[in-house]
Amino acid sequence: MTMPNSSTTYISQLKDSVGQNVTLAGWLHNSRSSGKIQFLIVRDGTGLCQCVAEKGKVPDELFEHLKRLGQESSLTITGTVRKESRSVGGYELAVTDAQIISPAEDYPISPKSHGIDFLLKNRHLHLRSQRQWCIGKIRHTVIDSIRRFFNDNGFTLIDTPIFSAAAGEEEQTLFEVDYFGSPMYLTQTGQLHLEAAAMSFGRVYCFGPTFRAEKSKTRRHLTEFWMVEPEVAFIDLDGLLELAENFVTFIIAQVLQDNKSQLETLGADTAALEKIKPPFYRLTYTEAVDILTGEKTKKFLAYQLEDLKKQKQQLETKIAELEEQQKGQLKQWQQDKIAAELIELNSDLAEVNTRIENNPKHAKLAAEFQWGKDLGGSDETIISQMHDKPVFVTHYPKEAKAFYMKTDRDNEKVALNFDLLAPAGFGEIIGGSVREDDYDLLLDRIKAQGLIAENYDWYLDLRKYGSVPHGGFGLGVERTIAWLTGEKHIRQCIAFPRLMDKIYI
Ligand code: ATP
Ligand code: MN
C-alpha cells in the first residue's frame, strides 16, 4: 500500500492554495461521469472537494481506472486548485494525476437512502456519511465549549467515579454489575460526589459517560449518554438559572461560529438559534400545569392537528408524483435520486402519521393533567413547542422528584429545582436543583423514598461539617446536539449509540 507523503493538502486548506498544484489524500465519496469528463467527489475528513478529471489531461489508463473506481476507495489525487462557487466546498481540483491506495468495491451504503436499522447496523461505515460527519463536528464543538465555559469561569474539573455503590437517581434505572462478587452500579450521575468536591473547591464540574437502564424506547433516551454537571457552593435557584442560561447561550454561540456550514448542511434552523440569548422564559411548574390544562393549549393542539393533516396531504401528493415519474425512462442516477427522495418522504409521512395519531392522546393527557405528577414527555413537548426560546420550569412537587432536592421553605410541597426545556418541541436538556442542606430534612427525604440511609452516611456528613446552600445541574450532550442540529432522535448524536433494545456495533 502506498502512503501519501507529507506534502498532501487538506481540503479545508484549499482556500489558501488557489492556482497551485496540490495533492489530496482521501476517499471517493461519490462520482459521476459524463463522457470525457469525470466528477469525483473526494472527502478527506476535513471536507469535500469535487475533482474534475478530463480525458486527455490525465493518462488514458488512469482515466479508465478512475471511471471504474468504487465508492469509498482510498486515493491520493493531484491537480490545480480553482475557485468554483457552485462546487461543494467552493473549490475544485483540475486533476492531473492520481494514485489509488486501496480500491473498494460494492460499498454497502450507496448514495441511495437506506432505512435506519440498516444504517445503525452499518454505523462503522455510516460514520463516513455527510450527515454523521456534520453531527460529529458539531458534537466536537459542543464538548469543547462545555469545557471552555467552565474552565474560564473558575470551575475545577473533578472526575467522579463510574462504579457507584448507591443510586443517585431512580433506582429502577440502575445497571448492576458484579464487583468481585458484590453488586455495584454504573453511575447515573456524578452529583453526589461532586457535592463533596464543591465543599473543597467551591465551583466544580464533572463530565463523562452516564448510564441509565431506561426501559422505554423514546427518541430522547439512550442507556449510555454524556452528561456535564456543574455544582456550586453558595448559590440559590436564581443563580443556577442564570448560570444555565449563560452556559447554553455560550455553547450555541460557539457552534454558530465554528459550524455554520455543518448546521446548514443538516438543515438546522440557524436563524432560530441566533435568537437564543438570555433571559430564557421562566415558568413555575404550577404555571406550566395551568397552561397544559388551559384553553390556549387546547387551541394550540387543535391548530397543530390541522397543520399536520395538511402536511400529510402535501407529502402524499409529492410521493404520488415521484412514483409516477419513476415509471418513465430515466438514467440510473435519476432513478437513484428519486428512490432516495421517496425513502425520505415516506419516512416523513410515517412521522406525520404518528403525530396525527398521538395528537388527541397528548391533548387528553395535557387537559387531564393533575398537579403533583412529574411532567411527561408529551407535556414537555407541548410546552416546548409553544415557545421560541428555552423555557425553565421550576418548583416541581417534591414528591415527584429526587430525594436530594431542597424543599422550598416558603412552600413545603415543592422543591427548589428546575428543568430546562429546549424550544420547538425538543424538550428537556437540563435538570437541576438546589440541594437539601439540612441534615434532618435530608435524612427524612432519604427514608421517605425508601432508600437505605447507611448508603448515604458520607453524603449526610456534608450537612454535618459546614453545610452551605449549594446546587447544580446536569446537561445531556446528545439532547443538546439533537436540538441544535434538528435531529429527531438522539441516537444520531453519538458515534456509537447504546439503546435499550439493541447495541448494534
Ligand atoms: P427524563 O425525564 O427526560 O428521563 P431525567 O429527569 O431523568 O430526564 P436528569 O436526571 O435531570 O434527567 O438528567 C439530566 C439531563 O441528562 C437531562 O436533562 C437530559 O439532558 C440528560 N438525560 C437524562 N437521561 C438521559 C438518557 N437516558 N439519555 C440521554 N440523555 C439523558
Ligand atoms: Mn430519566
Side-chain angles (χ1 to χ4, degrees):
M1 203 176 280
T2 12
M3 280 293 291
N5 60 33
S6 59
S7 64
T8 55
T9 302
Y10 286 117
I11 291 172
S12 60
Q13 297 167 340
L14 289 181
K15 59 178 182 308
D16 303 321
S17 313
V18 176
Q20 291 171 29
N21 203 256
V22 302
T23 298
L24 306 177
W27 296 263
L28 184 63
H29 180 66
N30 203 349
S31 69
R32 172 166 69 85
S33 148
S34 79
K36 292 194 162 55
I37 303 181
Q38 283 173 57
F39 300 95
L40 307 156
I41 310 274
V42 171
R43 55 169 198 87
D44 73 345
T46 74
L48 291 175
C49 178
Q50 173 157 283
C51 304
V52 184
E54 256 181 86
K55 203 174 166 83
K57 297 208 172 147
V58 294
D60 279 354
E61 197 189 346
L62 177 63
F63 190 83
E64 288 308 311
H65 261 152
L66 290 175
K67 206 170 181 172
R68 284 192 300 274
L69 196 61
Q71 189 188 345
E72 290 306 319
S73 296
S74 51
L75 75 167
T76 61
I77 192 157
T78 305
T80 313
V81 182
R82 60 183 181 223
K83 203 166 162 43
E84 175 49 88
S85 56
R86 286 168 304 176
S87 220
V88 57
Y91 299 89
E92 257 186 12
L93 208 66
V95 179
T96 53
D97 197 10
Q99 271 185 7
I100 290 140
I101 301 173
S102 173
E105 275 172 40
D106 301 325
Y107 185 67
I109 307 180
S110 64
K112 262 195 250 178
S113 214
H114 297 274
I116 183 65
D117 212 50
F118 177 85
L119 293 178
L120 282 169
K121 230 181 270 165
N122 287 283
R123 189 62 154 232
H124 55 300
L125 301 176
H126 190 227
L127 274 189
R128 304 178 188 193
S129 71
Q130 264 311 88
R131 251 198 116 71
Q132 283 305 311
W133 182 81
C134 288
I135 294 172
K137 294 305 266 187
I138 291 170
R139 183 179 171 108
H140 176 82
T141 305
V142 167
I143 289 178
D144 186 51
S145 50
I146 285 171
R147 293 190 187 283
R148 190 165 329 168
F149 179 85
F150 290 120
N151 293 344
D152 289 353
N153 283 287
F155 284 72
T156 301
L157 173 73
I158 301 294
D159 295 315
T160 50
I162 285 177
F163 285 129
S164 89
E169 296 292 330
E170 297 153 276
E171 287 191 296
Q172 308 90 280
T173 66
L174 283 171
F175 272 115
E176 191 174 308
V177 290
D178 176 349
Y179 195 76
F180 305 108
S182 303
M184 258 302 189
Y185 309 98
L186 298 182
T187 187
Q188 297 169 304
T189 165
Q191 180 203 316
L192 305 193
H193 293 88
L194 215 50
E195 285 183 53
M199 300 306 134
S200 171
F201 297 88
R203 279 175 288 175
V204 292
Y205 74 101
C206 68
F207 191 14
T210 308
F211 305 88
R212 295 193 190 177
E214 305 280 1
K215 288 172 198 83
S216 59
K217 292 181 241 170
T218 79
R219 63 188 174 86
R220 291 176 179 150
H221 290 94
L222 297 168
T223 54
E224 178 180 323
F225 63 98
W226 281 66
M227 179 156 70
V228 59
E229 298 176 82
E231 188 72 30
V232 182
F234 302 104
I235 198 163
D236 58 10
L237 188 58
D238 285 339
L240 282 174
L241 301 190
E242 258 174 58
L243 179 66
E245 65 192 357
N246 288 331
F247 173 50
V248 169
T249 304
F250 180 78
I251 296 174
I252 293 175
Q254 293 297 305
V255 171
L256 282 168
Q257 180 188 300
D258 297 352
N259 303 101
K260 198 90 185 230
S261 72
Q262 284 93 21
L263 288 170
E264 276 159 13
T265 303
L266 293 169
D269 190 348
T270 51
L273 295 176
E274 305 267 5
K275 285 193 207 121
I276 306 233
K277 299 265 152 55
F280 296 171
Y281 298 110
R282 284 159 166 76
L283 293 175
T284 64
Y285 165 90
T286 304
E287 287 166 339
V289 173
D290 287 344
I291 292 178
L292 284 171
T293 52
E295 217 28 52
K296 198 172 148 199
T297 295
K298 209 169 144 189
K299 280 200 192 124
F300 176 79
L301 289 175
Y303 174 81
Q304 194 173 65
L305 186 60
E306 285 316 302
D307 190 54
L308 286 166
K309 284 180 181 162
K310 266 185 226 147
Q311 285 181 36
K312 179 185 162 88
Q313 237 176 12
Q314 282 164 0
L315 284 166
E316 282 170 347
T317 314
K318 185 90 203 158
I319 288 169
E321 272 169 27
L322 285 177
E323 280 171 353
E324 198 51 43
Q325 277 181 35
Q326 253 182 340
K327 293 181 191 149
Q329 282 284 324
L330 296 172
K331 297 216 174 81
Q332 187 60 43
W333 70 267
Q334 288 169 318
Q335 266 172 24
D336 288 352
K337 191 162 166 261
I338 292 181
E341 273 178 55
L342 276 172
I343 290 187
E344 207 60 33
L345 289 169
N346 276 311
S347 119
D348 290 352
L349 181 62
E351 151 118 4
V352 168
N353 279 330
T354 312
R355 291 186 60 197
I356 289 176
E357 202 180 306
N358 283 336
N359 179 288
K361 292 184 214 161
H362 293 169
K364 187 162 187 285
L365 283 174
E368 293 171 6
F369 193 92
Q370 299 268 326
W371 197 99
K373 284 194 312 174
D374 201 355
L375 295 180
S378 65
D379 305 315
E380 287 178 358
T381 305
I382 293 168
I383 301 274
S384 149
Q385 280 168 340
M386 293 168 91
H387 291 84
D388 57 354
K389 275 209 282 189
V391 194
F392 288 114
V393 182
T394 64
H395 301 89
Y396 283 62
K398 74 175 182 209
E399 304 306 331
K401 287 288 169 184
F403 71 94
Y404 52 73
M405 295 184 179
K406 182 166 176 165
T407 303
D408 185 354
R409 303 299 193 254
D410 298 328
N411 178 359
E412 298 275 301
K413 286 206 178 99
V414 303
L416 294 174
N417 79 307
F418 73 96
D419 278 353
L420 179 65
L421 311 182
F426 282 96
E428 181 187 328
I429 56 167
I430 294 185
S433 72
V434 180
R435 321 303 187 189
E436 186 52 74
D437 48 40
D438 179 87
Y439 186 98
D440 295 320
L441 288 178
L442 181 59
L443 186 59
D444 285 350
R445 296 294 302 143
I446 289 172
K447 287 181 181 157
Q449 301 224 350
L451 299 167
I452 304 161
E454 293 86 78
N455 284 343
Y456 298 93
D457 272 349
W458 69 263
Y459 186 66
L460 283 157
D461 263 358
L462 305 176
R463 280 72 182 166
K464 236 166 43 188
Y465 306 109
S467 190
V468 300
H470 67 286
F473 58 81
L475 169 129
V477 167
E478 292 76 18
R479 289 205 197 164
T480 305
I481 297 168
W483 166 40
L484 300 183
T485 58
E487 265 301 326
K488 291 192 194 87
H489 201 301
I490 67 169
R491 68 187 162 209
Q492 299 305 76
C493 301
I494 184 165
F496 300 102
R498 268 73 189 103
L499 304 162
M500 177 209 161
D501 50 341
K502 216 167 199 173
I503 289 182
Y504 288 86
I505 67 166

